[in-house]
Amino acid sequence: MAGPAALLASVSHQLGGLQTLRLLQESHGSPHCRAAPAPTSGGSQHGPGEACWPPRMEREVPRAEAASAGRARGQPARLGTLREVAACSRLARVVAVATRLVEAEQTLLLPLLTERPFPVHLKDSVEFRNICIHMASQKEGVQFDRDLYEAHQCLKTIIEKLICSLAAFPSESYIPARASLRQILQNLLTI
């Protein structure tokens, strides 16, 4: 599919998946599931309410001490804390990358499509949305981790196909869009 309508449909599916991922972040309630910035090549700047990665140890020590205190009182230990923190961090970073992708599609790619249509692969965006919906039904555990990995891979595929579609056009107006997509892909690959 080519043209603005195809891109708008693709973005709509990605936004549906992104909204689901954001709701997942909120439902986890952990500070590590707050919107983390996508990794950049620069310093580690974090905006308000954004988690940093790797998590600082002082955030983990109270949870570990609480678990030890719970065991001392005969309460069951809460297992998987570090795994949960890692999953939340990956989720936050996937959300950040997906947000940047949608912004780039809306601000950079949509205007280019009016200049010259290029292929947009709607199927991948539908798959991303469906994976996110399935992930929301899992909440945590091994299947959640697999779905998160699949969402990551699906975003990678979407970005790579968009870069390939733009590479067919030598116009200088496509250079900023390709550069932006390459940066988003690079950020995704560091997750």
Side-chain angles (χ1 to χ4, degrees):
M1 271 178 105
L7 183 62
L8 288 173
S10 181
V11 167
S12 175
H13 291 297
Q14 291 170 31
L15 283 171
L18 187 55
Q19 181 180 13
T20 301
L21 293 179
R22 287 180 176 153
L23 290 172
L24 270 172
Q25 282 183 297
E26 290 174 18
S27 72
H28 276 73
S30 163
H32 299 289
C33 278
R34 304 282 193 289
T40 61
S41 56
S44 59
Q45 298 292 324
H46 304 290
E50 294 177 332
C52 64
W53 184 254
R56 285 179 265 211
M57 284 309 293
E58 63 265 23
R59 291 184 185 162
E60 292 304 311
V61 172
R63 291 182 85 171
E65 289 171 355
S68 295
R71 283 191 303 272
R73 290 189 301 261
Q75 296 172 344
R78 180 171 160 88
L79 299 175
T81 302
L82 291 177
R83 189 189 134 298
E84 290 170 0
V85 169
C88 282
S89 177
R90 282 192 313 273
L91 175 61
R93 293 170 72 187
V94 165
V95 167
V97 169
T99 301
R100 285 191 173 172
L101 173 60
V102 167
E103 289 170 357
E105 288 172 318
Q106 292 173 326
T107 60
L108 297 172
L109 300 183
L110 197 54
L112 291 176
L113 275 168
T114 58
E115 181 182 313
R116 172 183 258 164
F118 55 83
V120 175
H121 303 276
L122 186 58
K123 175 184 158 285
D124 299 316
S125 296
V126 171
E127 184 178 346
F128 174 73
R129 183 203 60 204
N130 292 343
I131 290 167
C132 294
I133 290 169
H134 187 261
M135 191 184 323
S137 70
Q138 304 304 313
K139 299 281 186 190
E140 59 188 34
V142 174
Q143 187 58 50
F144 178 87
D145 292 342
R146 282 188 197 133
D147 286 344
L148 185 55
Y149 173 78
E150 290 299 321
H152 176 276
Q153 291 301 110
C154 202
L155 283 174
K156 179 176 177 270
T157 299
I158 292 168
I159 297 167
E160 287 173 340
K161 287 182 178 180
L162 285 171
I163 291 170
C164 286
S165 293
L166 292 176
F169 303 103
S171 171
E172 286 190 21
S173 61
Y174 285 73
I175 293 173
R178 281 193 304 262
S180 179
L181 288 172
R182 283 189 187 108
Q183 183 61 53
I184 294 168
L185 180 61
Q186 183 60 43
N187 291 343
L188 183 65
L189 295 176
T190 61
I191 294 177

